[in-house]
Amino acid sequence: MPTPTRKLDCALDALARGLRVFPQDGKRPKIRDWPNNATDKASVVERWWTRWPDADIGIALSPDLYVFDTDALEAEQQVRDLIAKDPALSAKLLR
């Protein structure tokens, strides 16, 4: 196994949460056909992050997985408002 890096550890943590990941450079995927080639296999993740130790972690979305991009304070407040309306949503959030 490669020497663990913070990004490798985070990618493996995403797998443990049931997510499929792929390496990316900023917003550019480092692999072809990433929607189909994203993986939930630790051996593949270890190989990718050995090859690209500084790669960012992409998450392949599924129909029941949503992403809230909260770069702006207003967007963050909107997410809080959604949670206030549906407290069960809070349990589903990855932080």
Side-chain angles (χ1 to χ4, degrees):
M1 184 169 156
T3 302
T5 65
R6 176 79 174 124
K7 289 191 177 185
L8 171 59
D9 289 342
C10 290
L12 291 171
D13 182 64
L15 296 189
R17 295 171 182 254
L19 301 172
R20 293 179 347 158
V21 302
F22 60 95
Q24 58 184 44
D25 182 10
K27 294 189 178 197
R28 285 191 110 140
K30 291 183 141 313
I31 61 169
R32 292 180 187 198
D33 194 20
W34 63 267
N36 294 312
N37 291 323
T39 190
D40 59 0
K41 295 182 178 15
S43 61
V44 175
V45 168
E46 290 167 356
R47 186 174 71 240
W48 283 342
W49 269 269
T50 296
R51 182 173 181 187
W52 302 299
D54 295 325
D56 295 324
I57 302 163
I59 304 289
L61 299 180
S62 63
D64 59 343
L65 180 64
Y66 301 92
V67 173
F68 295 103
D69 186 355
T70 58
D71 291 341
L73 290 177
E74 180 180 314
E76 192 171 326
Q77 185 58 50
Q78 290 171 342
V79 171
R80 283 194 194 106
D81 292 345
L82 281 172
I83 293 169
K85 290 178 185 173
D86 183 2
L89 179 62
S90 180
K92 299 177 183 179
L93 294 176
L94 296 176
R95 298 168 202 255

